[in-house]
Amino acid sequence: MAWFENFDKGWDQLKAKYGERFYRMWKYYLLYCAGSFRARHVQLWQIVFSKHGVPGGYETIR
């Protein structure tokens, strides 16, 4: 939902370049993704590689 909220807040700066059709398609896509994540139909994985490891371990930022 944060992706959509950021997109929606910035839309005024983008609409002259992209138009309403793009807005509707991108809004649909972002909200579809949000629904899929909530329904646990899709997942997002991140793998962090480090050449020599991270002293003390790696802590994710949320």
Side-chain angles (χ1 to χ4, degrees), residues 8 25-27 41-42 50 61:
D8 201 45
M25 289 189 305
W26 201 240
K27 177 181 176 179
H41 288 294
V42 294
S50 175
I61 300 171

Side-chain angles (χ1 to χ4, degrees), residues 11-26:
W11 178 244
D12 284 339
Q13 297 173 3
L14 301 169
K15 65 181 167 185
K17 186 175 180 180
Y18 292 100
E20 286 299 314
R21 183 172 186 254
F22 177 85
Y23 176 79
R24 289 191 312 269
M25 289 189 305
W26 201 240

